[in-house]
Amino acid sequence: MNPKRIMNFLLILLCLMAPLSLAGAQEKSDGDKKPARNEAPEPRAKDGKKLLTALDLLKVAAVSAPRISPDGTRVAYTVAETKMEKDKEWKNVTQVWVVPINGGKARQYTRGDKSATAPEWSPDGSMLAFLSDREKDGERQVWMMMADGGEAWAATSHKGGVAGFRFSPDGKQLLLTAVDQPSKDEEERKKVKDDTMVIDHDIRMTHLWLWNVARKDEKRLTEGEYTVSDPQWSPDGARITYTTRPTPRADDGALSDVWILTIAGGEKKKLASGDGASDNARWSPNGEWIAYTGSLDRDPGPSTTYLYLLPAAGGSPKQLTAKFDLSAGTPVWSRDGRSIYFSTNVLEANEVFAADVSSGAVKQLSRRGAVTGITEISRDGKTIVGTMSGGGQPAELYKTSADFASISPLTDHNAWLKDYSLAETEIVKWKSKDGTEVEGLLTKPVGYEAGKKVRCC
């Protein structure tokens, strides 16, 4: 989720904790039972519902990373929760869940004190893979389990662990991203327990490796003074696109370039030339085109991100959203290759749009006034899944048809919030000095009465 949206949501939740009045706050009579020493009464609103506290905020489950099974019947995803056990250190743990795409009870697939993240189905749908550091703290490897559940096993043993992975189209190989191992100097300092940290020194890059699932051996694909992210297989498994930056530092985020690597010979070619940055490359279903996002310069400040289209065989890129005023998010191809979906900020919301590949015409599909993201489209092209959150509702999974005619929730991991009295949030508008209309969010305290002044903070 956009960090700005996360901050807005947390601010709204904090506002929910500031009610105007509490049920039971009236002065108690002598005959009333007093609460036990050091035990505060449970805060409640006028309607009798509970009020959120700081402790309640830690109970919010973070739902993300939906992945549709190859047969289109199920969706794997992750749920992150804070484990608050008595006399134990609290920790955030993420687990893999699976829910039927046509609705039904979700099932937890992984358990324990170790997190399981980044779920991916094997291309034939027989297995479900994820990342976990179950064997060695801090060193995540790819783990696999049968698609119907059961005991998982470690599929990789890359030294130092794995940052991410992608199944090859035939399922025989894994494309790994992994951080380079410490230098000899770092290892020597570690031996003498020298934990001195020098900012912007000993920066470790991330590079690509190819892991053979059956043989359990690996081959390095990239190396050098740059860092790699977001690798994507071509549909035929012959090539890979990936993004490079000079370093993993946040300041270098605008210095990104997309490259294409040919597996057989190892040749590497920059996707687009020019002064602008490029990122988020995605292959068309037939492998003939590559869509990517890019800007006109490499300014680290705010700038418009456009959607581009480039022949995979080479050629000049086409700026597909040249007449679209908003920035385009990560492209998601329709299965027929005629449209490219993406989400972007629309004032206080995130909405989903679709760009026509032939004409470049952009159409808004979702109008929920919420944070709506698109993640994946089923192989038959009929079902879209993503995450959606609102003012009083943390992110949950949704599904919809390709035209967004109707949106249905798939998960409800934060159903417990229905027992709480939540504040209302509305969009307000006003004119600036130059007449420009400005929008903002107004969150009212729980128990707000129209016409009554409210003192803040």
Side-chain angles (χ1 to χ4, degrees):
M1 185 188 295
N2 189 314
K4 176 182 175 184
R5 301 300 170 192
I6 295 175
M7 182 60 68
N8 287 342
F9 176 67
L10 290 177
L11 289 174
I12 290 171
L13 285 180
L14 287 173
C15 289
L16 304 184
M17 297 162 54
L20 289 181
S21 59
L22 304 178
Q26 296 87 354
E27 185 177 347
K28 293 180 177 289
S29 64
D30 292 339
D32 288 339
K33 183 180 179 181
K34 295 181 179 180
R37 178 180 289 184
N38 298 328
E39 183 179 329
E42 188 177 55
R44 291 185 177 272
K46 283 184 176 181
D47 59 7
K49 287 188 173 183
K50 299 177 184 178
L51 288 163
L52 282 172
T53 66
L55 191 61
D56 291 323
L57 293 179
L58 296 176
K59 299 177 184 177
V60 174
V63 178
S64 62
R67 294 292 184 269
I68 303 175
S69 61
D71 64 4
T73 62
R74 294 178 290 178
V75 180
Y77 62 101
T78 59
V79 180
E81 297 178 291
T82 302
K83 299 187 71 172
M84 295 178 286
E85 299 181 21
K86 189 176 181 180
D87 300 326
K88 288 186 178 182
E89 182 180 353
W90 293 359
K91 61 185 297 186
N92 190 269
V93 179
T94 301
Q95 301 294 358
V96 175
W97 289 64
V98 174
V99 64
I101 202 166
N102 289 326
K105 186 177 180 180
R107 175 185 170 191
Q108 186 174 346
Y109 264 47
T110 62
R111 299 180 184 275
D113 293 331
K114 293 291 188 177
S115 288
T117 61
E120 295 286 347
W121 299 94
S122 62
D124 63 1
S126 65
M127 291 181 292
L128 183 60
F130 56 89
L131 290 177
S132 183
D133 63 346
R134 295 182 176 190
E135 289 188 334
K136 186 177 181 180
D137 287 342
E139 288 195 6
R140 299 189 303 172
Q141 300 291 346
V142 179
W143 288 68
M144 294 186 187
M145 64 194 312
M146 301 310 295
D148 292 328
E151 188 68 26
W153 65 91
T156 62
S157 55
H158 182 82
K159 185 178 180 181
V162 175
F165 72 99
R166 292 280 189 276
F167 275 102
S168 63
D170 61 8
K172 296 180 180 180
Q173 300 182 96
L174 295 174
L175 179 60
L176 307 180
T177 52
V179 179
D180 285 345
Q181 291 302 290
S183 63
K184 287 186 178 180
D185 182 49
E186 288 179 279
E187 291 288 4
E188 290 298 323
R189 293 203 309 265
K190 186 176 180 181
K191 288 180 181 179
V192 298
K193 297 184 178 180
D194 179 3
D195 58 357
T196 304
M197 295 181 64
V198 182
I199 302 301
D200 291 342
H201 186 67
D202 293 330
I203 296 176
R204 294 162 64 184
M205 307 298 185
T206 297
H207 281 283
L208 299 181
W209 297 73
L210 201 59
W211 180 272
N212 187 289
V213 175
R215 296 198 307 265
K216 295 186 178 296
D217 58 17
E218 60 186 6
K219 173 185 177 183
R220 184 163 187 154
L221 296 180
T222 64
E223 58 184 318
E225 292 303 311
Y226 57 90
T227 195
V228 174
S229 63
D230 193 32
Q232 302 289 328
W233 288 93
S234 62
D236 61 4
R239 291 178 291 175
I240 294 168
T241 57
Y242 58 94
T243 299
T244 65
R245 293 181 176 86
T247 74
R249 295 180 302 182
D251 290 346
D252 287 344
L255 305 178
S256 59
D257 289 301
V258 174
W259 291 71
I260 299 180
L261 181 152
T262 303
I263 297 293
E267 298 87 1
K268 304 176 183 69
K269 180 182 178 182
K270 188 182 292 188
L271 183 71
S273 58
D275 298 328
S278 55
D279 209 342
N280 299 315
R282 296 296 183 270
W283 296 84
S284 64
N286 62 10
E288 295 180 1
W289 297 88
I290 298 174
Y292 67 96
T293 58
S295 57
L296 299 179
D297 54 40
R298 296 178 184 269
D299 188 343
S303 61
T304 302
T305 300
Y306 298 98
L307 183 63
Y308 290 86
L309 197 61
L310 182 75
S316 300
K318 174 184 177 182
Q319 191 176 337
L320 200 60
T321 56
K323 298 180 180 180
F324 186 63
D325 293 334
L326 304 175
S327 289
T330 303
V332 178
W333 283 87
S334 64
R335 290 299 177 178
D336 60 10
R338 297 179 180 178
S339 302
I340 299 174
Y341 295 81
F342 62 89
S343 62
T344 189
N345 289 7
V346 182
L347 299 174
E348 286 73 37
N350 260 36
E351 302 288 4
V352 177
F353 293 76
D356 184 87
V357 170
S358 60
S359 68
V362 179
K363 179 182 179 181
Q364 184 172 345
L365 298 178
S366 71
R367 299 180 183 274
R368 306 287 292 189
V371 180
T372 306
I374 177 171
T375 304
E376 200 172 14
I377 302 176
S378 60
R379 287 186 176 181
D380 62 9
K382 296 179 179 179
T383 306
I384 291 173
V385 297
T387 59
M388 182 184 297
S389 63
Q393 175 62 58
E396 297 283 355
L397 301 192
Y398 76 87
K399 75 164 186 175
T400 183
S401 54
D403 58 1
F404 273 75
S406 61
I407 296 180
S408 303
L410 281 178
T411 62
D412 193 13
H413 285 274
N414 293 287
W416 56 273
L417 283 172
K418 295 180 177 67
D419 295 330
Y420 287 73
S421 187
L422 305 180
E424 294 182 0
T425 299
E426 66 179 61
I427 295 176
V428 293
K429 301 180 181 182
W430 64 93
K431 296 282 188 179
S432 66
K433 292 182 179 180
D434 63 359
T436 302
E437 188 174 73
V438 182
E439 281 195 7
L441 293 173
L442 174 63
T443 300
K444 304 171 185 177
V446 172
Y448 172 76
E449 297 177 13
K452 210 170 187 179
K453 288 187 177 181
V454 178
R455 179 179 294 180
C456 178
C457 309

